[in-house]
Amino acid sequence: MRIVTYFGKGGVGKTTLSAATALACAARGHRTLLMSVNAGHNLGDVLGTTVGHAPTPVAPNLEAREVSALAEMRTQWPEIQDYVATILRGIGTGKSAYVQEVLLFPALEELTAMTEIWRASREGQYEVVVVDTPPTAGMMTLLSGPEGLRWILSSIETWYRRLALVATPVMQSLFPSRNPMDMLPEVSRRVGEMRAALTNPEVTSHRLVTRPERLAVTDGLRLVTYHHLYECPVESIFVNRVRRELPTQKAALDTLAQSSAGLPVVEVPDQAEEPIGLPALTALAEHVFKGRDPLERALPPPLMTLEAGAEGQHALKLRLPNLELERLDLVTRAGELVLEIGHFKRNIPLPAEVRNKEAVGADYSGDTLTITFA
């Protein structure tokens, strides 16, 4: 099973390259699903056909779908809808439209995307899942969300269980016969398994899409850093709509070449016409991959390693390409390394060898952050 994600800021061509890759995989005989988890779906527009929440056949060996949190809520989570509606009716606001508004809580799109990717990868119907991801903010929620989401689900479950102990008669009168809280462990398990798949380079290939513009390249390189922060190593960089004769584009491409940290850079020339429909996308795939297997990749080195040094010291090394030191904040506490880069933070459990040691120094060289413990 392989998962391929195309990520980047909005408008760089993620949907087009996702569709071209999916067609190339299907042409090689792989049972392929092309999945859009971007709330502003335009997959159908690119393919030139209607695509909905349910998988839609679009070519031999290829189906496509646009994941809808609202549609998934209606079909998969009726118990939760009944649960919320029951409470709202108790305060006189149990209207159906209002219930749907309440259920579309923040990060539901990302949670739905996570569980639907999990479902597609686990059911065995497909050999390849190509994911057209949300723009920057949504993608980072998708990557960082599982850790925080599992904590939230655990907290909700604990709160509910404690309340049920002291208010059982009231709870039984308010809630439906089937307790929706019983679903939380299953949701948490699915999210955990999907997180494990996204961080496993033997399963998932993360590919950055950018454009040959200074700001787009800068933003893309930051996204590469953030992906590594969440243990999702980036496999390659695709630069879309390249016209090397333009000086500004050449300068941006030179910057990218110097800062790509050894990642393969694939240039996609600017098309005379936007590739829409299966014939144009197939031609684009042939041009991009030039007969190579679209699933071909080189496995990256480990993102985190621990090396023993002299006098009982250890060096914890984290691969974080293009790290902007002025945006970095780190601290060790309670057996964890807390890394904050810009607006994103991650708590990384420390290896047992350094859990009770003190961080005595840090250095950044090449693409590696080294923290010394003694």
Side-chain angles (χ1 to χ4, degrees):
M1 178 64 202
R2 287 289 303 280
I3 300 170
V4 179
T5 76
Y6 282 93
F7 69 94
K9 64 187 297 184
V12 294
K14 298 188 302 293
T15 304
T16 300
L17 283 170
S18 297
T21 300
L23 279 166
C25 292
R28 285 179 167 261
H30 300 299
R31 299 188 308 276
T32 305
L33 174 65
L34 172 60
M35 177 183 292
S36 169
V37 296
N38 186 348
H41 297 300
N42 65 340
L43 190 54
D45 297 332
V46 170
L47 292 171
T49 188
T50 301
V51 175
H53 179 64
T56 304
V58 294
N61 296 318
L62 177 61
E63 293 184 341
R65 65 176 298 200
E66 297 178 337
V67 174
S68 164
L70 183 58
E72 186 63 19
M73 178 196 73
R74 287 170 175 160
T75 58
Q76 298 294 333
W77 293 2
E79 295 88 353
I80 291 182
Q81 185 166 349
D82 291 342
Y83 158 74
V84 175
T86 301
I87 296 176
L88 294 179
R89 278 194 293 270
I91 58 175
T93 56
K95 296 180 181 179
S96 175
Y98 187 73
V99 171
Q100 291 182 2
E101 262 186 50
V102 171
L103 285 176
L104 288 174
F105 54 83
L108 179 59
E109 287 282 354
E110 288 76 18
L111 171 59
T112 304
M114 189 71 72
T115 55
E116 287 306 288
I117 297 171
W118 174 89
R119 194 196 309 274
S121 64
R122 289 296 298 269
E123 289 182 344
Q125 183 178 355
Y126 306 104
E127 297 170 295
V128 179
V129 178
V130 181
V131 184
D132 174 28
T133 69
T136 302
M139 184 60 183
M140 295 318 303
T141 302
L142 191 66
L143 293 183
S144 63
E147 295 176 353
L149 179 63
R150 294 179 75 181
W151 178 85
I152 291 171
L153 293 176
S154 175
S155 299
I156 292 174
E157 184 178 16
T158 301
W159 169 85
Y160 181 87
R161 304 297 182 197
R162 289 176 178 173
L163 183 59
L165 289 175
V166 298
T168 299
V170 177
M171 300 294 280
Q172 287 179 344
S173 66
L174 282 178
F175 299 120
S177 57
R178 182 176 177 184
N179 177 7
M181 295 298 110
D182 291 338
M183 301 173 65
L184 294 182
E186 174 65 14
V187 173
S188 180
R189 182 181 68 83
R190 292 185 183 187
V191 170
E193 289 183 358
M194 193 62 246
R195 164 74 182 162
L198 288 176
T199 59
N200 184 352
E202 294 189 359
V203 175
T204 304
S205 297
H206 298 283
R207 300 174 178 176
L208 169 67
V209 183
T210 187
R211 295 182 63 173
E213 301 164 358
R214 183 175 59 86
L215 291 180
V217 166
T218 300
D219 184 73
L221 292 174
R222 285 198 185 114
L223 276 177
V224 171
T225 306
Y226 297 148
H227 269 66
H228 280 70
L229 173 65
Y230 293 107
E231 294 186 79
C232 295
V234 177
E235 175 197 88
S236 53
I237 299 174
F238 287 74
V239 189
N240 204 14
R241 300 177 183 174
V242 172
R243 296 176 61 188
R244 271 194 166 271
E245 69 274 15
L246 299 178
T248 54
Q249 287 203 8
K250 185 178 183 306
L253 290 167
D254 290 343
T255 298
L256 182 60
Q258 294 167 8
S259 307
S260 62
L263 293 174
V265 176
V266 180
E267 295 184 11
V268 183
D270 194 16
Q271 308 290 310
E273 294 184 1
E274 190 172 2
I276 295 176
L278 300 186
L281 291 168
T282 299
L284 176 63
E286 292 172 352
H287 184 83
V288 170
F289 297 110
K290 296 180 172 59
R292 301 190 311 272
D293 185 348
L295 299 178
E296 180 182 290
R297 89 284 198 199
L299 293 179
L303 294 185
M304 184 169 71
T305 57
L306 183 67
E307 297 179 1
E311 300 178 357
Q313 291 189 342
H314 284 81
L316 182 66
K317 298 191 173 185
L318 302 168
R319 238 173 12 99
L320 294 168
N322 301 298
L323 177 61
E324 298 169 289
L325 293 178
E326 66 275 11
R327 299 167 65 89
L328 171 68
D329 189 18
L330 64 89
V331 65
T332 57
R333 65 185 181 206
E336 290 183 326
L337 172 65
V338 183
L339 274 181
E340 187 172 342
I341 304 175
H343 299 294
F344 301 100
K345 182 176 73 171
R346 180 149 188 258
N347 293 39
I348 303 174
L350 287 171
E353 294 90 336
V354 298
R355 198 162 294 157
N356 297 317
K357 293 187 175 184
E358 181 181 355
V360 296
D363 176 69
Y364 184 69
S365 179
D367 64 354
T368 301
L369 176 64
T370 301
I371 305 170
T372 303
F373 290 84

